[in-house]
């Protein structure tokens, strides 16, 4: 049985829009839970009777479960149908959230977090697959813009929201709030999403073990690099083991007749640019929610509330840019948008590096809004570009592979921010006590990375993705 063509719902654009918003809400719920407990750790540790540092395993377990099970999402969606898998993933995630909130001990909490991660691992790529199949190419920019904002908003809103919920009510409500959201999402998924199982193929157990183990080891090693005290030997060992396992996974997936993840989609230039050059950009962007709050609090002496206000300005910029994304891409095309806006992204990082404790708050907020607008535009452009030229047969593999790169980029981004700050501290001799100059150096390194990410975009043809962007091209 073949998968339904992406243009299947072109006659009902309203339904496609509703599905995009449904998937965006599910994405937000999943992305939020990756960071929302960070500020509630002390209260949770007291409840479980353990040291706060022990709660790090609750964050790691969630991220590792995501990394292990994302590769299998495409096969599961093809085997059982995206409607059943997406609805099932929402149900698992919601029930696991209840288990997290009811947990009375750390081991129970960790098991519930693993279950949450499994639900999230299936929810994200399968949700994106559902959107792609229910949206015509002409509506892809708006659909991708809709499902992009959770990845931008959740890391910014998660920590302050978790701290507010834990202090106002109790940490348990961080997870219980997922219940009404999950219930509504489940009912709407069963009502709106069509079921169209894809190409049936044998399960690639070797590919699953190799890719899952590689991603888990790599993500855990990157997580170790984000800690305040870095064990370089242990982190290096996990990263090295993960790289070896992933190298073997790639070798296997290219040779087996029924690969768990179809790597042939990397032969499509627009997809390749989105996941390779786009990953460098996502790494740079993912460092911002790590570096900026630290700079505001440690270097500028801001309170958590004032720091949170600045991050909300970044979020406001993210949302404010959404209505203009389609217009910009029609005017400039994908290449023009990625290059011009990419330079603005780098300029935004440079502007952040130039801030000081004496900078007027209004100007700081304006810089944050500007950065949020630019990074939102670039995220949407890269994310849409990935699926401009993929065929219906490649859609399942493309969404799985894209999700794997996106998950890795997020982990590497936090690690890159931590390493950049550590390098700056060693250079200035401020080890353990970073000042404004340390954050300027770190953000300068992030600026350079954002510029390097533009190399792939410059090489794109002028008419790349034109049937999706609507950008007119001159006849040869």
């Amino acid at each position: 049985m073949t998968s339904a063509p992406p243009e299947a719902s072109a006659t009902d654009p309203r339904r496609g829009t509703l599905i995009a918003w449904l998937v965006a809400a599910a994405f937000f719920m999943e992305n939020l839970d990756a960071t929302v407990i960070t500020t509630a750790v002390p209260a949770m540790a007291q409840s479980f009777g353990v040291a706060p540092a022990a709660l790090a395993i609750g964050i790691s377990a969630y991220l590792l479960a995501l990394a292990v099970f994302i590769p299998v999402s495409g096969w599961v969606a093809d085997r059982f149908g995206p409607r059943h898998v997406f609805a099932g993933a929402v149900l698992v995630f919601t029930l696991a959230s209840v288990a997290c909130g009811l947990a009375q001990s750390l081991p129970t909490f960790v098991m519930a977090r693993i279950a949450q991660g499994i639900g999230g691992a299936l929810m994200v790529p399968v949700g994106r697959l559902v959107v792609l199949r229910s949206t015509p190419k002409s509506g892809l920019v708006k659909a991708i813009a809709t499902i992009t904002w959770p990845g931008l908003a959740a890391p910014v809103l998660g920590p302050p929201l978790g701290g507010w919920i834990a202090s106002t009510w109790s940490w348990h409500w961080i997870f219980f709030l997922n219940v009404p959201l999950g219930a509504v999402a489940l009912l709407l998924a069963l009502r709106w999403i069509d079921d169209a199982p894809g190409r049936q193929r044998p399960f690639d157990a070797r590919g699953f073990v190799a890719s899952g183990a590689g991603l888990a080891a790599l993500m855990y090693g990157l997580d170790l690099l984000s800690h305040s005290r870095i064990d370089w030997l242990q982190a290096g060992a996990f990263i090295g083991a993960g790289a070896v396992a992933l190298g073997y996974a790639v070798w296997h997936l290219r040779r087996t007749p029924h690969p768990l993840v179809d790597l042939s989609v990397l032969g499509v230039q627009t997809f390749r640019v989105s996941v390779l050059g786009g990953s460098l950009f996502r790494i740079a962007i993912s460092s911002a929610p790590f570096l900026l709050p630290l700079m505001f609090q440690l270097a500028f002496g801001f309170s958590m509330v004032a720091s949170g206000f600045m991050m909300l300005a970044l979020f406001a910029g993210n949302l404010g840019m959404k209505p203009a994304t389609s217009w910009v891409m029609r005017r400039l095309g994908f290449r023009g948008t990625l290059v011009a806006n990419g330079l603005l992204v780098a300029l935004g990082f440079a502007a952040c590096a130039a801030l000081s404790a004496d900078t007027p708050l209004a100007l700081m907020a304006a810089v944050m809004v500007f950065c949020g607008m630019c990074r939102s535009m670039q995220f949407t452009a890269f994310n849409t570009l990935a699926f401009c030229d993929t065929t219906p047969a490649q859609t399942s593999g493309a969404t799985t592979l894209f999700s794997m790169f996106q998950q890795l980029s997020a982990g590497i981004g936090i690690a890159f921010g931590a390493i950049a700050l550590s390098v700056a501290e060693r250079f200035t001799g401020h080890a353990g006590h970073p000042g404004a100059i340390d954050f300027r150096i770190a953000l300068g390194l992030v600026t350079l990375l954002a510029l390097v990410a533009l190399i792939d975009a410059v090489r794109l043809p002028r008419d790349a993705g034109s049937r999706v962007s609507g950008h007119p091209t001159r006849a040869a």
Side-chain angles (χ1 to χ4, degrees):
M1 183 179 294
T2 58
S3 58
E7 306 284 344
S9 303
T11 57
D12 190 3
R14 181 175 176 274
R15 186 182 181 200
T17 301
L18 292 174
I19 290 175
W21 278 108
L22 167 63
V23 173
F27 281 14
F28 181 76
M29 187 168 62
E30 183 272 329
N31 277 280
L32 191 69
D33 267 46
T35 58
V36 72
I37 73 170
T38 53
T39 48
V41 162
M44 297 174 68
Q46 183 178 10
S47 178
F48 293 149
V50 299
L55 261 295
I57 192 174
I59 300 173
S60 299
Y62 181 79
L63 296 176
L64 292 178
L66 277 176
V68 170
F69 286 93
I70 280 178
V72 80
S73 59
W75 182 88
V76 174
D78 285 341
R79 176 67 178 82
F80 300 104
R83 176 173 177 263
H84 287 101
V85 175
F86 183 77
V90 171
L91 179 61
V92 169
F93 188 89
T94 305
L95 293 177
S97 296
V98 174
C100 286
L102 295 176
Q104 300 295 313
S105 66
L106 182 58
T108 304
F109 177 72
V110 170
M111 294 301 294
R113 286 288 279 178
I114 291 173
Q116 260 195 324
I118 294 173
L122 297 178
M123 199 158 57
V124 172
V126 176
R128 186 177 287 109
L129 176 64
V130 167
V131 171
L132 292 174
R133 288 183 175 176
S134 62
T135 306
K137 291 289 188 182
S138 59
L140 204 56
V141 173
K142 288 185 178 180
I144 296 297
T146 299
I147 65 175
T148 294
W149 70 266
L152 294 167
V156 174
L157 297 179
L161 181 62
W164 179 77
I165 291 174
S167 60
T168 304
W169 300 322
S170 73
W171 65 264
H172 307 80
W173 285 98
I174 291 174
F175 301 100
F176 291 153
L177 288 179
N178 286 336
V179 175
L181 295 175
V184 172
L186 177 61
L187 291 175
L188 295 180
L190 293 174
R191 180 178 179 181
W192 288 345
I193 297 175
D194 292 327
D195 224 11
R199 178 172 56 90
Q200 304 296 301
R201 61 190 191 277
F203 181 67
D204 179 16
R206 184 179 299 183
F208 171 65
V209 172
S211 59
L215 285 170
L218 193 57
M219 287 297 297
Y220 186 68
L222 293 171
D223 181 63
L224 291 175
L225 290 179
S226 66
H227 295 175
S228 56
R229 293 183 178 180
I230 301 175
D231 186 332
W232 293 98
L233 181 61
Q234 186 182 25
F238 274 103
I239 291 173
V244 170
L246 286 177
Y248 172 77
V250 170
W251 179 87
H252 166 76
L253 293 172
R254 287 188 177 278
R255 286 161 178 78
T256 186
H258 302 289
L260 182 70
V261 181
D262 183 10
L263 300 183
S264 68
V265 71
L266 288 172
V268 180
Q269 185 186 21
T270 48
F271 182 84
R272 186 172 63 251
V273 168
S274 179
V275 298
L276 297 182
S279 289
L280 292 179
F281 165 77
R282 294 181 192 98
I283 290 169
I285 288 300
S286 298
S287 68
F290 173 82
L291 286 173
L292 292 178
L294 288 178
M295 181 178 74
F296 291 139
Q297 295 179 52
L298 300 181
F300 297 173
F302 284 12
S303 66
M304 284 188 63
V305 173
S307 175
F309 170 77
M310 288 300 165
M311 298 309 290
L312 286 177
L314 187 75
F315 173 57
N318 292 339
L319 291 184
M321 194 62 187
K322 293 304 176 190
T325 52
S326 297
W327 181 84
V328 171
M329 287 189 212
R330 279 197 303 271
R331 293 294 300 270
L332 301 180
F334 277 104
R335 192 181 78 164
T337 299
L338 290 172
V339 174
N341 188 73
L343 292 173
L344 294 179
V345 170
L347 178 63
F349 278 122
C352 290
L355 295 175
S356 69
D358 297 325
T359 303
L361 291 179
L363 181 57
M364 280 192 191
V367 169
M368 292 296 103
V369 170
F370 173 78
C371 290
M373 293 175 68
C374 295
R375 76 180 201 143
S376 174
M377 184 76 249
Q378 201 78 347
F379 249 104
T380 300
F382 267 126
N383 291 0
T384 310
L385 181 70
F387 305 102
C388 284
D389 301 319
T390 55
T391 65
Q394 293 173 318
T395 303
S396 177
T399 55
T400 301
L401 197 58
F402 185 86
S403 295
M404 290 167 61
F405 273 94
Q406 198 168 43
Q407 185 67 25
L408 275 177
S409 298
I412 295 174
I414 296 174
F416 181 83
I419 293 171
L421 186 58
S422 177
V423 168
E425 290 176 27
R426 289 175 181 271
F427 180 76
T428 60
H430 296 162
H433 303 283
I437 185 63
D438 302 290
F439 286 100
R440 288 197 181 101
I441 294 172
L443 287 167
L445 293 174
V446 174
T447 302
L448 290 176
L449 183 62
L451 290 172
V452 172
L454 298 180
I455 294 175
D456 266 358
V458 171
R459 295 173 178 171
L460 281 171
R462 290 183 181 275
D463 62 348
S466 57
R467 68 174 179 143
V468 171
S469 67
H471 180 62
T473 56
R474 293 182 180 179

